[in-house]
Amino acid sequence: MFSRLLGAMNALGTLWIFLLMLLIDADILGRELFGAPVRGTTELLSLSIVGIVFLQLGHALMVGRITRSDMLLDSLITHRPRAGYLLQGFFHLLGAIFLGLVFWGSLGQFEEAVEIGEYVGAIGDFTAPTWPIKLLILIGAMATLLQYLRLLWRDLREARQ
C-alpha cells in the first residue's frame, strides 16, 4: 500500500515534469513568434523543481536510487552480513532523522505561508501562492522519512538472522 503511494507520488512528479516542458515550449514560442512570453514561467519553474524533488524522493529511496557509496556496504553484507546490515541500518536511521528535521523545519514555514498569504511573482503581473509547494515538502519529507524507517526495520530484521 505504502509502495503504491510512493509510486503514485513519483508518477505525479513525472507528469509535472512533462507539463513543465510544455510550459517552457509555450513560453519560448510565445517569445519568438508573438513577442509575448507566458507570464509566471520562471516563478512556476522555480517552485516546481522543489515540489517535484519532494514528490519523487521517497520512491527514489524505495527503489535504491539515492546516491551513496555501496562498495563498503556491499562487501560487508556479502562477507559479514550482520555488520553490513547494521551499518546500512545506521545509514537509514540517519536518513530518517535528517528527513524528520526537514519536516520539522518546514512545518513552521508552511504555517507562515498560509497565515500571511505568501506568494511569488509581482502583483498585477503574475502571482502564485507558495503554500502548495511547502505542503508538498511536508508530504514528501514525511513519506521519505517513513520509507527510511521501513528500510531500517528491514535492516534490523536481516541483522538478526
Side-chain angles (χ1 to χ4, degrees):
M1 178 72 168
F2 187 69
S3 298
R4 284 186 169 198
L5 173 64
L6 293 179
M9 289 170 63
N10 185 56
L12 182 59
T14 301
L15 176 63
W16 197 346
I17 291 169
F18 178 74
L19 294 174
L20 285 178
M21 290 176 10
L22 294 177
L23 176 64
I24 292 167
D25 290 343
D27 185 56
I28 291 169
L29 289 174
R31 284 176 193 273
E32 295 301 319
L33 298 178
F34 308 111
V38 176
R39 302 255 186 245
T41 299
T42 305
E43 291 86 355
L44 290 175
L45 285 173
S46 65
L47 287 174
S48 294
I49 290 169
V50 175
I52 291 167
V53 166
F54 277 91
L55 274 174
Q56 296 186 324
L57 191 59
H59 187 266
L61 177 62
M62 182 180 76
V63 297
R65 302 262 191 243
I66 297 292
T67 303
R68 68 181 195 179
S69 176
D70 290 335
M71 191 171 79
L72 175 63
L73 275 176
D74 288 346
S75 178
L76 272 175
I77 288 173
T78 302
H79 301 311
R80 302 199 57 207
R82 182 180 166 126
Y85 282 112
L86 286 174
L87 182 59
Q88 184 170 263
F90 181 67
F91 169 79
H92 291 140
L93 175 64
L94 290 177
I97 290 169
F98 176 74
L99 266 295
L101 291 171
V102 169
F103 181 88
W104 182 259
S106 299
L107 187 57
Q109 292 180 11
F110 168 72
E111 291 170 346
E112 182 181 2
V114 170
E115 187 178 306
I116 68 171
E118 182 181 58
Y119 64 90
V120 295
I123 294 176
D125 182 34
F126 173 85
T127 59
T130 61
W131 71 263
I133 299 303
K134 294 182 185 225
L135 179 60
L136 284 179
I137 292 169
L138 291 173
I139 292 168
M142 183 55 68
T144 307
L145 182 152
L146 293 174
Q147 180 59 33
Y148 267 119
L149 292 176
R150 290 177 69 198
L151 292 172
L152 172 61
W153 179 251
R154 183 205 61 195
D155 293 333
L156 293 176
R157 276 195 336 250
E158 290 292 328
R160 279 194 266 170
Q161 292 182 4

